Protein backbone atom coordinates (compact mmCIF):
# COMPACT_ATOMS: atom_id res chain seq x y z
CA UNK A 1 0.00 0.00 0.00
CA UNK A 2 1.18 3.50 -0.73
CA UNK A 3 -0.30 6.90 0.03
CA UNK A 4 -0.81 8.90 -3.14
CA UNK A 5 -2.46 12.10 -4.26
CA UNK A 6 -6.06 11.61 -5.38
CA UNK A 7 -6.11 10.96 -9.13
CA UNK A 8 -8.64 10.32 -11.90
CA UNK A 9 -7.04 6.93 -12.63
CA UNK A 10 -8.90 5.60 -9.57
CA UNK A 11 -12.34 6.34 -11.03
CA UNK A 12 -13.56 2.75 -11.46
CA UNK A 13 -12.00 1.57 -8.23
CA UNK A 14 -13.26 4.53 -6.20
CA UNK A 15 -16.83 3.79 -7.34
CA UNK A 16 -16.44 0.13 -6.38
CA UNK A 17 -15.18 1.18 -2.97
CA UNK A 18 -18.12 3.58 -2.62
CA UNK A 19 -20.51 0.72 -3.36
CA UNK A 20 -18.81 -1.50 -0.79
CA UNK A 21 -19.17 1.24 1.81
CA UNK A 22 -22.81 1.83 0.82
CA UNK A 23 -23.55 -1.90 1.14
CA UNK A 24 -22.13 -1.73 4.66
CA UNK A 25 -24.22 1.38 5.45
CA UNK A 26 -21.04 3.49 5.60
CA UNK A 27 -21.41 5.92 2.67
CA UNK A 28 -20.51 8.76 5.00
CA UNK A 29 -16.96 7.41 5.08
CA UNK A 30 -16.62 7.59 1.28
CA UNK A 31 -15.32 11.14 1.51
CA UNK A 32 -17.51 12.87 -1.04
CA UNK A 33 -17.16 16.59 -0.29
CA UNK A 34 -20.48 18.30 0.16
CA UNK A 35 -21.30 21.95 0.01
CA UNK A 36 -24.69 21.93 1.66
CA UNK A 37 -27.84 23.52 0.31
CA UNK A 38 -27.65 27.17 -0.54
CA UNK A 39 -23.87 27.30 -0.73
CA UNK A 40 -22.75 29.13 -3.86
CA UNK A 41 -19.30 27.55 -3.80
CA UNK A 42 -19.76 24.45 -5.90
CA UNK A 43 -21.58 21.24 -6.64
CA UNK A 44 -22.67 18.55 -4.25
CA UNK A 45 -20.70 15.38 -4.91
CA UNK A 46 -23.14 12.51 -4.86
CA UNK A 47 -22.39 9.09 -6.33
CA UNK A 48 -24.40 10.11 -9.36
CA UNK A 49 -22.35 13.28 -9.77
CA UNK A 50 -19.07 11.36 -9.91
CA UNK A 51 -20.24 8.66 -12.33
CA UNK A 52 -18.97 10.56 -15.37
CA UNK A 53 -15.24 11.13 -15.93
CA UNK A 54 -15.85 14.89 -15.82
CA UNK A 55 -17.78 14.69 -12.57
CA UNK A 56 -15.12 12.53 -10.94
CA UNK A 57 -12.37 14.81 -12.24
CA UNK A 58 -13.99 17.83 -10.64
CA UNK A 59 -14.18 16.04 -7.30
CA UNK A 60 -10.53 14.98 -7.59
CA UNK A 61 -9.57 18.55 -8.46
CA UNK A 62 -11.36 19.80 -5.37
CA UNK A 63 -9.74 17.37 -2.94
CA UNK A 64 -6.26 17.82 -4.44
CA UNK A 65 -6.70 21.59 -4.18
CA UNK A 66 -8.11 21.50 -0.65
CA UNK A 67 -4.70 22.07 0.91
CA UNK A 68 -4.70 25.56 -0.60
CA UNK A 69 -6.22 27.91 1.98
CA UNK A 70 -7.65 30.08 -0.81
CA UNK A 71 -9.42 27.25 -2.63
CA UNK A 72 -13.22 27.06 -2.39
CA UNK A 73 -14.41 24.56 0.17
CA UNK A 74 -17.60 23.63 1.97
CA UNK A 75 -18.80 26.12 4.59
CA UNK A 76 -17.30 25.39 8.00
CA UNK A 77 -14.49 23.25 6.55
CA UNK A 78 -10.84 24.15 7.08
CA UNK A 79 -8.07 23.48 4.52
CA UNK A 80 -7.05 19.84 4.46
CA UNK A 81 -4.56 17.45 2.89
CA UNK A 82 -6.17 14.35 1.44
CA UNK A 83 -4.22 11.26 0.42
CA UNK A 84 -5.52 7.99 -0.94
CA UNK A 85 -4.35 4.51 0.00
CA UNK A 86 -3.64 2.59 -3.19
CA UNK A 87 -2.04 -0.40 -4.77
CA UNK A 88 -1.42 0.31 -8.43
CA UNK A 89 -4.72 1.65 -9.78
CA UNK A 90 -6.67 0.06 -6.96
CA UNK A 91 -8.20 2.52 -4.50
CA UNK A 92 -8.10 1.11 -0.95
CA UNK A 93 -9.04 4.02 1.26
CA UNK A 94 -8.41 7.60 2.22
CA UNK A 95 -6.90 9.68 4.97
CA UNK A 96 -7.21 13.40 5.55
CA UNK A 97 -5.34 15.89 7.68
CA UNK A 98 -7.20 19.05 8.64
CA UNK A 99 -4.71 21.86 8.92
CA UNK A 100 -6.38 23.52 11.90
CA UNK A 101 -9.09 22.82 14.44
CA UNK A 102 -12.37 24.70 14.64
CA UNK A 103 -14.90 24.11 17.44
CA UNK A 104 -16.51 21.12 15.71
CA UNK A 105 -13.16 19.49 14.96
CA UNK A 106 -11.90 20.11 18.49
CA UNK A 107 -14.91 18.34 19.98
CA UNK A 108 -15.68 15.77 17.39
CA UNK A 109 -13.69 15.38 14.19
CA UNK A 110 -10.06 15.93 15.18
CA UNK A 111 -7.17 16.62 12.81
CA UNK A 112 -7.06 13.26 11.04
CA UNK A 113 -9.80 11.08 9.60
CA UNK A 114 -9.49 7.86 7.61
CA UNK A 115 -11.45 5.04 6.11
CA UNK A 116 -10.54 1.78 4.41
CA UNK A 117 -12.88 0.04 1.95
CA UNK A 118 -14.49 -3.01 3.58
CA UNK A 119 -12.73 -5.55 1.31
CA UNK A 120 -9.30 -4.18 2.31
CA UNK A 121 -9.72 -4.04 6.10
CA UNK A 122 -7.66 -5.85 8.74
CA UNK A 123 -4.47 -5.67 6.67
CA UNK A 124 -2.83 -2.84 8.57
CA UNK A 125 -3.61 -0.14 5.99
CA UNK A 126 -5.22 2.37 8.36
CA UNK A 127 -2.34 1.99 10.81
CA UNK A 128 0.27 2.47 8.08
CA UNK A 129 -1.56 5.46 6.62
CA UNK A 130 -1.86 7.11 10.02
CA UNK A 131 1.87 6.68 10.65
CA UNK A 132 2.66 8.34 7.31
CA UNK A 133 0.17 11.15 7.91
CA UNK A 134 1.83 11.95 11.24
CA UNK A 135 4.93 12.83 9.23
CA UNK A 136 2.88 15.10 6.99
CA UNK A 137 1.45 16.80 10.08
CA UNK A 138 4.89 17.20 11.57
CA UNK A 139 6.13 18.82 8.36
CA UNK A 140 3.26 21.31 8.66
CA UNK A 141 4.25 22.07 12.25
CA UNK A 142 1.13 20.44 13.66
CA UNK A 143 2.14 18.68 16.87
CA UNK A 144 0.39 16.95 18.53
CA UNK A 145 -2.58 15.93 16.39
CA UNK A 146 -6.06 15.25 17.72
CA UNK A 147 -7.60 11.98 16.51
CA UNK A 148 -11.03 10.82 17.63
CA UNK A 149 -13.18 7.74 17.27
CA UNK A 150 -16.69 6.71 18.20
CA UNK A 151 -16.76 5.02 21.60
CA UNK A 152 -17.82 1.76 19.96
CA UNK A 153 -15.34 1.84 17.05
CA UNK A 154 -13.01 -0.91 18.21
CA UNK A 155 -10.90 -0.94 15.03
CA UNK A 156 -10.26 2.80 14.95
CA UNK A 157 -9.52 2.87 18.66
CA UNK A 158 -6.87 0.19 18.12
CA UNK A 159 -5.37 2.13 15.22
CA UNK A 160 -5.12 5.31 17.32
CA UNK A 161 -3.73 3.60 20.42
CA UNK A 162 -1.17 1.63 18.35
CA UNK A 163 0.02 4.97 16.93
CA UNK A 164 0.73 6.29 20.42
CA UNK A 165 -2.52 8.13 21.04
CA UNK A 166 -2.80 9.61 24.53
CA UNK A 167 -6.42 9.51 25.67
CA UNK A 168 -7.77 12.85 26.90
CA UNK A 169 -11.52 12.40 27.35
CA UNK A 170 -14.80 11.45 25.73
CA UNK A 171 -17.07 14.17 24.35
CA UNK A 172 -20.38 13.61 22.60
CA UNK A 173 -19.68 9.92 22.07
CA UNK A 174 -16.17 10.47 20.75
CA UNK A 175 -13.01 9.22 22.42
CA UNK A 176 -10.38 11.96 21.95
CA UNK A 177 -6.67 11.25 21.69
CA UNK A 178 -3.58 13.37 21.13
CA UNK A 179 -0.71 11.84 19.15
CA UNK A 180 2.72 13.48 19.10
CA UNK A 181 3.96 13.83 15.53
CA UNK A 182 7.61 14.36 16.38
CA UNK A 183 7.99 10.63 16.98
CA UNK A 184 5.72 9.65 14.05
C1 LIG B 1 -11.47 1.66 11.42
C2 LIG B 1 -10.79 1.28 10.11
C3 LIG B 1 -10.23 2.55 9.46
C4 LIG B 1 -9.66 0.28 10.40
O1 LIG B 1 -8.95 0.09 9.19
P1 LIG B 1 -8.01 -1.18 8.98
O2 LIG B 1 -7.13 -0.91 7.82
O3 LIG B 1 -8.85 -2.39 8.94
O4 LIG B 1 -7.16 -1.18 10.33
P2 LIG B 1 -5.82 -1.95 10.58
O5 LIG B 1 -5.78 -3.16 9.70
O6 LIG B 1 -4.67 -1.00 10.51
O7 LIG B 1 -6.04 -2.45 12.08
C5 LIG B 1 -5.30 -1.98 13.19
C6 LIG B 1 -5.58 -2.87 14.36
O8 LIG B 1 -6.95 -2.83 14.70
C7 LIG B 1 -7.51 -4.12 14.63
N1 LIG B 1 -8.83 -3.98 14.07
C8 LIG B 1 -9.17 -3.38 12.90
N2 LIG B 1 -10.50 -3.44 12.73
C9 LIG B 1 -10.99 -4.08 13.81
C10 LIG B 1 -12.29 -4.45 14.22
N3 LIG B 1 -13.37 -4.17 13.46
N4 LIG B 1 -12.45 -5.11 15.39
C11 LIG B 1 -11.37 -5.38 16.16
N5 LIG B 1 -10.10 -5.07 15.83
C12 LIG B 1 -9.93 -4.42 14.68
C13 LIG B 1 -6.60 -4.89 13.71
O9 LIG B 1 -6.67 -6.27 13.95
C14 LIG B 1 -5.27 -4.33 14.04
O10 LIG B 1 -4.80 -4.92 15.24
P3 LIG B 1 -3.27 -5.23 15.46
O11 LIG B 1 -2.63 -3.89 15.70
O12 LIG B 1 -3.25 -6.13 16.61
O13 LIG B 1 -2.81 -5.88 14.20
C15 LIG B 1 -11.80 0.62 9.13
O14 LIG B 1 -12.47 -0.41 9.80
C16 LIG B 1 -12.82 1.59 8.55
O15 LIG B 1 -12.59 2.21 7.52
N6 LIG B 1 -13.99 1.75 9.23
C17 LIG B 1 -15.01 2.67 8.77
C18 LIG B 1 -14.53 4.11 8.83
C19 LIG B 1 -14.08 4.50 10.20
O16 LIG B 1 -14.60 4.03 11.21
N7 LIG B 1 -13.08 5.37 10.22
C20 LIG B 1 -12.51 5.86 11.44
C21 LIG B 1 -13.23 7.08 11.84
S1 LIG B 1 -12.53 7.64 13.38
Amino acid sequence: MELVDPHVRFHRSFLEAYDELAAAGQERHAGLPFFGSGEPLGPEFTREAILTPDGFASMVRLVVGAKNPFAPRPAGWVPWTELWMAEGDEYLGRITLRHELNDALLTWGGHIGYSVRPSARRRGYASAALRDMLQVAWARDIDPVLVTCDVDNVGSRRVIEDAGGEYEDTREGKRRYWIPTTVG
Side-chain angles (χ1 to χ4, degrees), residues 21 26 28-29 85 109 112-118 120-128 147-150 153-160 162 174:
L21 287 163
Q26 297 179 347
R28 69 195 174 91
H29 292 300
M85 303 172 212
I112 295 180
Y114 41 77
S115 76
V116 174
R117 64 190 286 179
R121 290 182 186 166
R122 312 295 296 259
R123 297 188 207 157
Y125 293 152
S127 301
V147 189
T148 70
C149 65
D150 288 343
N153 193 335
V154 181
S156 187
R157 178 175 171 176
R158 187 72 171 266
V159 168
I160 296 168
D162 284 355
K174 293 278 184 185

Side-chain angles (χ1 to χ4, degrees), residues 3 7-8 14 19-20 38-39 54 59 71-72 80 91 96-97 102 104 110-111 135:
L3 279 188
H7 194 278
V8 290
F14 187 94
D19 291 341
E20 281 179 16
E39 283 298 326
D54 279 355
M59 188 203 84
W80 77 96
Y91 170 92
T96 63
L97 168 72
N102 57 23
H111 281 107
Q135 294 283 315

Side-chain angles (χ1 to χ4, degrees), residues 1-54:
M1 188 278 287
E2 55 179 344
L3 279 188
V4 298
D5 284 322
H7 194 278
V8 290
R9 71 192 161 95
F10 295 110
H11 191 189
R12 178 196 51 78
S13 185
F14 187 94
L15 287 171
E16 287 170 5
Y18 182 95
D19 291 341
E20 281 179 16
L21 287 163
Q26 297 179 347
E27 298 97 319
R28 69 195 174 91
H29 292 300
L32 301 187
F34 58 90
F35 283 78
S37 56
E39 283 298 326
L41 291 173
E44 191 162 353
F45 290 100
T46 57
R47 184 187 189 284
E48 198 183 354
I50 60 166
L51 273 179
T52 62
D54 279 355

